[in-house]
Amino acid sequence: DGGITQSPKYLFRKEGQNVTLSCEQNLNHDAMYWYRQDPGQGLRLIYYSQIVNDFQKGDIAEGYSVSREKKESFPLTVTSAQKNPTAFYLCASSPRGTGPSNEQYFGPGTRLTVT
Amino acid sequence: LAKTTQPISMDSYEGQEVNITCSHNNIATNDYITWYQQFPSQGPRFIIQGYKTKVTNEVASLFIPADRKSSTLSLPRVSLSDTAVYYCLVGDGGPARQLTFGSGTQLTVLP
């Protein structure tokens, strides 16, 4: 059963701690993305990667870091530098390119709460 | 970058046809129009994509006039389970910096 998995579904952390969100896909897609969604808002792009060992900043990359060492994995680290880390985080992938015309497949999301 | 404008919310009743319009006045020649659906606490799901005229699939239809400055997502005979947020995206296969989901349209289907 192909798809994108994100773990955990809910994550709680204390302020000042770094936390890493997992994203794995078995769709053999080249491109992967991380988005952040705040209540009642749309999705905002944090980072994206078109190919292994390459990634680019999105609109709100400050306070976040990523790696793309394997095609199927694109973990996101929320660092202590991120001022308002509490949000719903969504990972996505697309077969080839990273523009809007490429259909994206989304994971179930991770809800991060930092207190 | 093509900016999109959608209504913030819409209400409908079960069994009715719902049309959600997206304005994109500065759409570029290579841009496609793509719609996603998102249920609460889930990731968005691709619904339909088009370039011009009309596209239909098993879920929805997408109408795009000749000037392509707007597009209309049409959902036939909606049910309660169609209550969701609908996003319109405009862009080509180029850099992801064009990826802007905006706030979308909250569709509420009433019994």
Side-chain angles (χ1 to χ4, degrees), chain A residues 70-82:
Chain A
K70 298 186 296 183
K71 187 175 185 176
E72 57 271 22
S73 179
F74 192 40
L76 172 75
T77 297
V78 184
T79 75
S80 55
Q82 168 51 232

Side-chain angles (χ1 to χ4, degrees), chain A residues 3-4 10-11 18 22 27 30 33 42 52 58 60 63 72 75-76 78 83-85 87 90 92 94-95 98 104 109:
Chain A
I4 299 180
Y10 298 95
L11 192 53
N18 290 355
S22 167
L27 300 167
D30 287 330
Y33 315 75
V52 174
I60 55 164
E72 57 271 22
L76 172 75
V78 184
K83 291 184 172 50
N84 298 296
L90 286 158
S94 59
T98 55
Q104 293 185 57

Side-chain angles (χ1 to χ4, degrees), chain B:
Chain B
L1 303 178
K3 179 177 160 56
T4 60
T5 303
Q6 304 174 233
I8 294 174
S9 64
M10 295 179 68
D11 290 344
S12 181
Y13 290 95
E14 279 192 290
Q16 289 188 333
E17 178 184 75
V18 170
N19 295 310
I20 305 174
T21 297
C22 179
S23 297
H24 28 80
N25 290 322
N26 59 341
I27 189 169
T29 303
N30 295 332
D31 287 347
Y32 282 75
I33 299 150
T34 309
W35 286 82
Y36 286 83
Q37 174 192 57
Q38 185 182 25
F39 298 113
S41 297
Q42 294 185 26
R45 180 177 72 109
F46 173 92
I47 301 176
I48 197 167
Q49 182 181 83
Y51 182 79
K52 62 180 180 180
T53 63
K54 176 184 173 183
V55 179
T56 297
N57 61 23
E58 65 278 6
V59 176
S61 294
L62 179 60
F63 297 92
I64 305 168
D67 66 6
R68 303 203 323 126
K69 292 184 185 299
S70 66
S71 58
T72 299
L73 174 72
S74 181
L75 305 172
R77 297 181 299 282
V78 293
S79 64
L80 297 176
S81 63
D82 292 314
T83 293
V85 177
Y86 293 83
Y87 297 97
C88 164
L89 273 70
V90 173
D92 59 21
R97 60 184 175 84
Q98 301 174 64
L99 283 165
T100 303
F101 275 77
S103 297
T105 297
Q106 170 66 60
L107 171 65
T108 302
V109 179
L110 305 167

